[in-house]
Amino acid sequence: MPVKSEKTIAQGPPSTMAQNNAKSSMPDSSTLRSLRATLFRFTVAPALALAITLALVFTLQQMHDRRQLLLSHGHASAEQLAELIAMSGGQPIELRMEWLRKSLLALMLEKDMVRSVHIYSTEASEKQPLNPNTGLGLLASVGPRPATPITREHLQKREPFIFEDEESLQILQPLKGDILTCWISIELHRPYFLVGTYQVLLIGLVGLIICTLAAVAWSVILSERFALSLSRMGQVLQAVGRGEFDRRARETGNREVAQMANQINEMAKNLANYQRDYKANLLQSMDDLRQSLDSMEEQNIELDLARKRAQEASRIKSTFLANTSHEIRTPLNGIIGFTNLLLKTEVDELQQDYLQTILRSSENLLTTINDILDFSRIESGNLVLDHIPMDLGQLLEETLQILAPYAYEHHLELVPLIDSQLPATQVGDPLRTKQILTNLLGNAIRSSENGNIPVQLSVVNSKDSELVLRISVTDLGNRIDEAGRSELQQILNTKTPQHSQQISANGLGMSIARSLVERMRGSTGIEEADSGGSHCWVQLSLQPERNRGVPPRFQCPGCRILIADPNHLTRTQVAQLLSHWQAEPVELSDTETLQPVIEQMWRHDALPDAVIIDTAIAKGDFDSFSVQVQSLVDAYQCQVIVLGAPAELRRCYEQLRTRTLTFLGKPVTRENLLRALKRAAPRRNQQRPSSGAIPALPWPATPRILAVDDHAANRRLVGELLRTQDIEVVIAASGEEALQHWQQSTFDLIFMDIQMPGMDGIEATRRIREQEAGRRTPIIALTAHAGAEEKARLLSAGLDDYLSKPVSEAQLTHMIKRWIKIITPQVVEKLSLEQMRLVDIGESLTLANGDMKLARDMLQMLLDGLVCDERELQRLLSTGDLKGMFELTHRMHGGCCYCGVARLREATCVLQEELRTLQEREPAEFDRRKLDAVFREMRALREWASEQNLDALFGLEVA
């Protein structure tokens, strides 16, 4: 930086700051008063007020004196006249009156103060009668008549008095005598009094003017002197403000002004010292700043290098995790898929248990992989949840089966208690939900030994758009210390947990579980249990699956099952499930009396349809247990279901496999218990195959799907899964082969693997999109990369949807069903509704898998809701709620898919796709004819139902 600039900066700030401060603190000049005006106000105003006061006092005093003088003169004249009249009392009356008229009264009229003189008599005479108006007689008068006449009522007094009103001022004097009969009235001259008043006022005004002029002159002199002093001080201040700190103000003879000048001089001296210190500090600060900038530049270079290293390390970590996930997920896809296929074949109970263990362990390994990936995603905030159909009850049971061996090591039994009101299917993220369950149950197992761990799944709130579920796990707390318990309290109950604090491995798992729950808009908590342990709970908000119909519920009315189990909790769980299936459970807690109870039932011909015996009654002696079970089977022909842990079942499997009905492993799941119950009472219910496979969907036409994967096992697995859905499958092992198949044939859907040697899935998709003409073929990505960034990259590359390996049969079926529904209207719209049957009873039975009662119930439910659905559609149409119309039409179409109502199904399908695309277009483009077609088919179906007997149509009418 140049030195000249430094000096400029050093000299600039003090003066500039002073000027800026002066400008900012200076008020508006239009609102200020000058010193001269102030002095005028404080000198002229008091002088003027004093002069006015003195003038008023002088004027009032003079007026009072004039009045008193006038009245005194009147009184004196009246008294003198009365004396003269009294002295001439010896003369004849005529002479006296003539003398008074000519002499005395004329003499008094020579005075300026008297206007007129009158002598009145209150008694009448022959010559002077009384005036009827005044009641007085006029004896003599000189001058004009009084302005106000005197009446008899005025002369009631005996002493002289003054009569005054607005027009006249008179002095009345009685003549001396024994009887007052004569009065002298002297009317004074008012102009004499007024002229004197005006003279006094004129004198006062002249004096006021003289005083005012004197005060103004004195104010001008004072203001000039003070203005000159202040102007000199102002010039000094301006000079100081410009930086001339050597200027000083001159002292004057006035003490206050001299004191102000000394203060200004002191301020200039201080400012000079400040400027000198400021320059020195500024130069030092600039040197320090220059050194700091050099140091910061070095640090920025180091930070930039560190940031690049961190980004490179993060990229390497992400690449490593993605590659590791891909390499592990690819074989897991084959293991899980072919294990599911093998479970659909004919295997015995023990082999099925082994296969299910392999399947659950593989899924547990997949959950562990997701834990590794999700931990980094949660930290970076990039975790994206899936929204796919799932069965939360089945997820809970699978998690319990995976963790059961670990629980058995500590003599624990995991008992699931699932609410019977839980819907069969929900929409959520099954993998993340399973991670939450695994962490909750793992924590409970690590905290307990020798007892039961109940896991309760209950429905808190069930609505059309939201399903609130609560999962609670109660541990025993006899294997955890206070530090671990406090750590769990801190993690689950605090509103904002500290992620930076040091936590244990168990606490880390619970922290991940809480983070996942919060991402799912749920909540967590922990409470003290009555048994001394802890009660951990999770509340999740899921969505019910609307695209699926209600699956038929297995019922076994009248079937009696005896449960011999010393464990109250397990016995309660099995009894609740049997009651839900309308079976009659008979609980036996005292297992020592098992054989006598069976014998008594046999004697009364009341043997149960099956007996569930827990291996816990063996108490380690499985030889005696096997003999007891064999005796029950041989002696009483009991159908026995042996319940126990897999390790205990293996110890008695060889002895009892030919005598017992089936083996039921713990933890007891609904599927295993249901399968055992079907074997126990085969004649009480209509048997239907229960292989666990998802039934083939009723396609409008057989779909053709191209499956592309470079891994042979994955190709074979996808092919088998698609063929079980009655789908025509073409397999390709590379991107080049897939492109050739697509060029040679037409496909409804393409499943494309992404990571392949040579032409990968993205390149193959790009070439297909470039060569497409007309209808767009949906391409679904199949990849082992599970990141949200990967999904965004694939969708932007031209793919339509995304499936992460390993792919389950349910996910594959859901994806196909979704996209076939989207592309089907392109063909269905060309069909005529009149060519289809209004109601097809045979199709209804096919869709219900031959169950006549179920087919009747499904059709009846659809018919019962037609009136409300039609009204709701009309209301939504009137309000313009296209989204609500789409949701209602989508639900109606889902219900039609499980009934033989082809015309209404096709009409709702066409309207559904119209509303789906309409949300991206202008509302004016809405085709009302498609909505009218739905209304027409709904009314036709209601008319048909009013004339039919559904029980008779489905063969359920009792003769």
Side-chain angles (χ1 to χ4, degrees), residues 88-100:
S88 60
Q91 300 296 329
I93 189 64
E94 292 83 3
L95 182 63
R96 292 172 58 190
M97 296 302 297
E98 183 67 19
W99 177 70
L100 287 174

Side-chain angles (χ1 to χ4, degrees), residues 872-885:
E872 183 65 13
L873 266 179
Q874 291 176 347
R875 186 189 68 80
L876 294 173
L877 177 64
S878 61
T879 58
D881 188 358
L882 298 180
K883 182 179 179 182
M885 292 178 63

Side-chain angles (χ1 to χ4, degrees), residues 600-777:
Q600 185 179 6
M601 289 182 175
W602 179 76
R603 291 182 182 277
H604 292 81
D605 195 17
L607 277 177
D609 293 284
V611 180
I612 300 177
I613 303 177
D614 197 329
T615 57
I617 68 176
K619 298 180 180 179
D621 188 2
F622 287 94
D623 293 334
S624 300
F625 173 76
S626 300
V627 172
Q628 183 182 7
V629 173
Q630 289 175 2
S631 65
L632 291 177
V633 175
D634 295 339
Y636 306 105
Q637 299 299 316
C638 292
Q639 300 192 67
V640 177
I641 301 174
V642 179
L643 173 65
E648 296 176 348
L649 293 179
R650 286 193 292 269
R651 296 181 62 179
C652 60
Y653 177 74
E654 292 297 332
Q655 296 91 334
L656 299 177
R657 65 177 180 175
T658 59
R659 301 296 184 91
T660 60
L661 188 65
T662 185
F663 292 89
L664 185 59
K666 289 184 179 180
V668 180
T669 64
R670 295 171 298 176
E671 181 182 356
N672 293 342
L673 182 60
L674 184 60
R675 184 168 55 249
L677 185 61
K678 288 180 179 179
R679 290 187 179 185
R683 296 177 301 277
R684 294 184 180 272
N685 56 79
Q686 296 181 359
Q687 283 290 328
R688 288 183 292 172
S690 179
S691 61
I694 298 177
L697 297 175
W699 310 113
T702 302
R704 297 186 75 250
I705 294 180
L706 175 62
V708 187
D709 201 309
D710 63 326
H711 197 274
N714 288 342
R715 289 198 304 273
R716 183 177 178 183
L717 174 62
V718 174
E720 291 296 329
L721 293 177
L722 293 177
R723 290 188 185 95
T724 58
Q725 297 295 321
D726 296 336
I727 296 174
E728 182 182 348
V729 186
V730 177
I731 302 297
S734 64
E736 294 85 353
E737 186 178 351
L739 187 60
Q740 292 176 3
H741 284 299
W742 179 82
Q743 293 172 346
Q744 296 171 2
S745 183
T746 302
F747 297 96
D748 297 309
L749 201 64
I750 299 176
F751 285 103
M752 181 72 70
D753 188 18
I754 299 302
Q755 189 169 347
M756 296 184 294
M759 182 185 297
D760 60 6
I762 294 180
E763 179 63 22
T765 302
R766 186 184 63 80
R767 294 194 182 185
I768 290 175
R769 296 302 183 214
E770 289 177 352
Q771 300 177 21
E772 268 184 337
R775 187 175 68 90
R776 177 186 175 94
T777 303

